[in-house]
Amino acid sequence: MSLASITGALLAFIARLVTGAQGHWKGCPPMAEQRIYFANHQSHLDWVLIWAALPHELRTRTRPIAARDYWAGSPFRRWLTTEVFHAVYVDRSRSANPDQDPLEPLVSALEQGDSLVIFPEGTRSAKGEPMPFKSGLYHLAQQFPGVQLVPAWIDNVQRVMPKGEVVPVPVLCTVTFGAPLRLEEGEDKRVFLDRAREAVIAQRPAGSGG
C-alpha cells in the first residue's frame, strides 16, 4: 500500500471522525458510473467532505477540481492534491496562458473516464444559497451528454472551520445527492444553469440554515 493510499484512507477517516461525512443518496444510488457531482461551495473543506462521503470504489475515480494557485502553492499541498486526491488543476487567472480553454483540464479528465466534483459558483459564498452558476457546467453537459450530472448539497461544513480558527470544530456534516439532471435539447444556457442551481438548493435538509 503506497504512502498516498495510506494518507487518503487516514484523511477520509479523520474527515468522517470530525464531520461525520454522511452521504445521503436520495436521488440516485452510489454507483460506479461516470458522473459530474456539482455542489454548493462554502469552504476549502467542501471537496474533501464529498470525497470522504463517497464509497471507496467511487473515490478512486472521482477527481475534485483544485485551484492551481492555492493547491500547488507548496510541495505538500501539491503532493496531497496530485497523489492523494488526484485533483484536476484549474487556473483561476488566465494571464499565465490566455489562449488555453479553462475547461480543457476538465474535458481531458472526462475523456479519460473519470468523474468530477465541481462547484459551479466558481468561488466560495458566505451566503445561505449558492450564487448564480457560471457557464462551465453547461458547456461540459453539452460536450458529454452521457455523463450523469448529480446535484449535491453540502450542509454545515462552514461551521467545521469558523473564520479565524485553526483547529476544526466537530460538527455533523452531510452531503445529500439528488437525482441526475441532463441538458435538454435546445435548452437555453441560463435556463439550464438556473435549473441546476435550484436542483442543488432542493437537496438542502429541512430546517438547515445552509
Side-chain angles (χ1 to χ4, degrees):
M1 198 173 187
S2 67
L3 177 60
S5 297
I6 294 171
T7 303
L10 179 61
L11 287 174
F13 171 76
I14 293 172
R16 288 194 296 268
L17 182 67
V18 173
T19 70
Q22 295 183 9
H24 295 166
W25 298 85
K26 300 226 171 153
C28 61
M31 296 178 62
E33 299 178 352
Q34 190 178 22
R35 291 171 169 171
I36 297 174
Y37 299 97
F38 61 99
N40 57 315
H41 192 22
Q42 296 181 328
S43 163
H44 278 311
L45 296 176
D46 287 341
W47 57 269
V48 177
L49 184 62
I50 289 184
W51 183 83
L54 294 173
H56 175 73
E57 61 271 18
L58 270 66
R59 246 185 265 149
T60 57
R61 293 306 301 268
T62 302
R63 304 174 64 184
I65 308 305
R68 185 187 301 274
D69 59 296
Y70 178 80
W71 289 104
S74 73
F76 175 72
R77 287 202 298 263
R78 187 165 54 248
W79 177 81
L80 192 66
T81 46
T82 57
E83 298 300 323
V84 177
F85 295 110
H86 306 291
V88 178
Y89 284 135
V90 294
D91 293 309
R92 290 190 284 193
S93 171
R94 298 186 64 182
S95 58
N97 192 352
D99 296 326
Q100 184 184 38
D101 180 353
L103 291 180
E104 184 179 315
L106 285 67
V107 169
S108 177
L110 290 169
E111 288 176 341
Q112 294 172 32
D114 295 326
S115 294
L116 297 177
V117 175
I118 71 172
F119 303 99
E121 296 169 81
T123 186
R124 289 177 293 156
S125 170
K127 300 179 180 179
E129 293 188 351
M131 294 184 291
F133 283 4
K134 296 185 177 180
S135 61
L137 181 64
Y138 171 80
H139 294 302
L140 293 175
Q142 276 188 317
Q143 294 183 60
F144 297 92
V147 176
Q148 290 189 351
L149 309 175
V150 178
W153 180 270
I154 305 170
D155 200 51
N156 272 347
V157 70
Q158 74 277 12
R159 298 172 188 162
V160 173
M161 190 75 76
K163 189 174 182 179
E165 297 293 332
V166 294
V167 178
V169 177
V171 174
L172 180 62
C173 298
T174 60
V175 183
T176 304
F177 300 93
L181 300 178
R182 69 182 181 89
L183 177 65
E184 301 293 343
E185 185 174 353
E187 186 172 16
D188 176 77
K189 178 172 67 175
R190 180 42 56 189
V191 171
F192 168 77
L193 293 173
D194 288 345
R195 184 163 64 89
R197 178 177 175 274
E198 289 301 320
V200 169
I201 295 172
Q203 309 316 312
R204 180 167 53 186
S208 167

